[in-house]
Amino acid sequence: MTLAEPLVITLVIFLLTYSLIITETLNRTVVALIGASLILFANVLNQEQAIQAIDFNTIGLLIGMMIIVGVTRRTGVFEYMAIKAAKLAQGDPVLILVALSTVTAITSSLLDNVTTVLLIVPVTFSICSELSIDPIPFLISQILASNIGGTATLIGDPPNIMIGSASGLSFLDFALNLFIPIAATFLATMLILRVIYRKKLKASELARARIMDLPELEAIKDFALLKKSLFVLSLTILGFLLHKVLNFEPATIAIGGATLLLLITKEEPEDIFLTIEWPTLFFFAGLFIIIGALDQVGVIEWVARRSIEATGGVISATTMLILWLSAVASAFIDNIPFVATMIPLIQKMGQIGGITNLKPLWWALSLGACLGGNGTLIGASANVIVAGLAEKNGVILTYKGFLKIAFPLMILSVIISTVYIFAVYLR
């Protein structure tokens, strides 16, 4: 086999795989596994090289957090938080929208945004039913909040997990460096949504009284399990904050926390393991193998060199290219495969261009990819999940209707990120 043959084979497999993922012709996990299998059968990578290409820190962190969330969700604490937020808003629809969005954003930053919307959206429908108002504004606001909140931490959104693993950036690094642009984006988004929907968000005094009568404590199904879950979750997050001091990888902390929770709760592992999103994990594994093959045949290095030439190696131009390219691309394709491709590209750009401080590029990729997911209804997994839940409840969240509200807000969030990155990192 000549040198050109593995290159052509890998490019064909990569392009076909991504085309099928984007068009959703087949299940994305199946597509990624087919692509990875073809890489192995074509002998572009051998089995040992393929295993090395899979980032266990990403996979392990996801598994650990999925187990912790799987146990914690059984307590009903998330439903409690949603009802409590609605009552604190005194049944006012506008304030409820802001309150539920705030709960969604905070929870998404500490768990993950897909799990968060799965838990909060059903309660949202109940609240909207009590208020006799259109749930669409609430659904759109929670999609936006879940992706904004998920951007704030290492564990909030899968792209950040991947970036953290590749760059060595810690939980604390993400929290400290991304809090300001995320807080500014969230506040701006809530203010604009409040203006857009102020006429639609009106409810009678009787409907508001019904909200105040909702028994939030009844949402808690198991107080003993709740205490144990919150204890382990707090311990795990503390571990993330201190993982560099402890010299443990985030995956080790997450799996350790998950193991401790299973031990002290005595939950059946078979039941909890059913809550793990295995298709997502195998999707990641397949992508890692395909990207590893691209690196092996030199595609990543070639693209890195062309990118350096386009920006002249200037750090500010390179950072802005990554931020805006990530945002626009992630609005229309799944941000996970996009980030999987960009990570080794940024690493190569650093090596080739002699860029010693890659942090601006990592923050640009994180902000662009995660916030870009708000651009369209297919931009992020949470968006698709909410649309599906809405349809099950007889509410149609249309692509065009979402685009009209969300895309301009996504552009605003990237503008805020641009200003922040220039002010803090590129002065």
Side-chain angles (χ1 to χ4, degrees):
M1 186 181 285
T2 66
L3 186 63
E5 287 177 13
L7 173 63
V8 173
I9 289 169
T10 303
L11 278 174
V12 169
I13 292 171
F14 170 76
L15 292 172
L16 285 174
T17 300
Y18 272 55
S19 298
L20 290 171
I21 290 171
I22 293 167
T23 57
E24 299 180 323
T25 308
L26 294 172
N27 178 279
R28 68 177 191 170
T29 301
V30 174
V31 171
L33 290 177
I34 290 172
S37 299
L38 290 174
I39 291 291
L40 288 166
F41 287 130
N43 205 30
V44 177
L45 296 179
N46 59 37
Q47 185 169 296
E48 185 178 346
Q49 290 171 320
I51 294 298
Q52 289 174 349
I54 297 173
D55 184 358
F56 177 76
N57 197 38
T58 296
I59 302 293
L61 179 52
L62 284 168
I63 289 174
M65 291 309 297
M66 286 174 182
I67 291 172
I68 292 172
V69 171
V71 175
T72 305
R73 71 191 303 175
R74 294 184 168 196
T75 67
V77 66
F78 304 109
E79 292 85 347
Y80 167 85
M81 291 168 62
I83 295 170
K84 189 67 176 177
K87 292 181 75 170
L88 288 173
Q90 299 293 308
D92 182 340
V94 173
L95 293 180
I96 289 176
L97 181 141
V98 174
L100 290 179
S101 298
T102 303
V103 168
T104 301
I106 293 172
T107 308
S108 294
S109 70
L110 298 177
L111 302 177
D112 71 89
N113 49 13
V114 171
T115 299
T116 299
V117 296
L118 280 169
L119 297 167
I120 301 295
V121 167
V123 184
T124 300
F125 276 107
S126 298
I127 291 171
C128 290
S129 177
E130 293 289 346
L131 290 171
S132 301
I133 56 176
D134 184 4
I136 292 290
F138 294 85
L139 299 179
I140 291 177
S141 69
Q142 284 167 35
I143 287 174
L144 298 175
S146 71
N147 290 318
I148 293 169
T151 311
T153 67
L154 170 69
I155 59 175
D157 209 357
N160 280 1
I161 295 174
M162 298 162 71
I163 292 167
S165 179
S167 64
L169 294 167
S170 68
F171 185 95
L172 201 56
D173 289 329
F174 275 86
L176 293 176
N177 285 277
L178 299 184
F179 176 77
I180 291 175
I182 293 309
T185 296
F186 181 75
L187 288 172
T189 301
M190 288 301 106
L191 287 171
I192 292 171
L193 287 176
R194 186 170 181 171
V195 172
I196 292 172
Y197 291 122
R198 66 186 183 280
K199 292 181 180 178
K200 297 185 73 173
L201 298 175
K202 295 186 183 297
S204 67
E205 288 300 321
L206 181 62
R208 293 174 64 167
R210 287 199 297 268
I211 292 295
M212 300 307 293
D213 288 337
L214 289 174
E216 69 271 21
L217 283 176
E218 289 184 11
I220 304 294
K221 303 177 183 71
D222 190 330
F223 279 95
L225 183 61
L226 174 62
K227 290 177 184 176
K228 293 173 182 176
S229 297
L230 292 181
F231 167 72
V232 172
L233 182 59
S234 301
L235 201 61
T236 303
I237 291 173
L238 180 62
F240 288 143
L241 292 172
L242 299 175
H243 85 90
K244 282 197 170 180
V245 177
L246 299 171
N247 200 27
F248 291 135
E249 292 293 339
T252 304
I253 301 290
I255 291 176
T259 304
L260 176 62
L261 187 57
L262 288 173
L263 178 66
I264 65 176
T265 60
K266 296 182 172 61
E267 294 287 318
E268 284 294 330
E270 291 86 352
D271 294 339
I272 299 302
F273 290 164
L274 289 174
T275 67
I276 294 176
E277 298 168 37
W278 295 109
T280 299
L281 299 176
F282 280 102
F283 176 61
F284 272 106
L287 284 179
F288 283 135
I289 291 171
I290 295 168
I291 300 306
L294 284 177
D295 194 22
Q296 177 78 8
V297 300
V299 171
I300 299 292
E301 182 172 349
W302 184 86
V303 175
R305 289 187 182 279
R306 299 293 83 75
S307 300
I308 290 292
E309 289 173 8
T311 61
V314 178
I315 186 68
S316 57
T318 306
T319 302
M320 288 302 105
L321 173 66
I322 290 170
L323 175 65
W324 283 91
L325 175 63
S326 301
V328 174
S330 295
F332 296 98
I333 65 173
D334 194 311
N335 56 14
I336 293 172
F338 178 81
V339 169
T341 309
M342 287 298 295
I343 284 172
L345 178 60
I346 288 175
Q347 291 169 329
K348 287 288 184 185
M349 288 169 73
Q351 294 168 10
I352 295 167
I355 303 172
T356 54
N357 180 19
L358 290 176
K359 286 184 178 179
L361 276 63
W362 293 126
W363 301 136
L365 179 61
S366 173
L367 290 166
C370 296
L371 295 176
N374 273 335
T376 69
L377 201 52
I378 60 169
S381 300
N383 310 20
V384 179
I385 295 293
V386 173
L389 291 171
E391 192 171 349
K392 286 182 181 178
N393 284 270
V395 176
I396 303 300
L397 189 56
T398 65
Y399 187 97
K400 186 177 178 180
F402 182 84
L403 184 73
K404 188 167 59 175
I405 300 294
F407 197 84
L409 287 171
M410 183 275 285
I411 295 296
L412 174 63
S413 72
V414 182
I415 291 172
I416 291 171
S417 299
T418 300
V419 172
Y420 171 76
I421 289 174
F422 261 113
V424 177
Y425 304 107
L426 303 177
R427 286 183 299 177

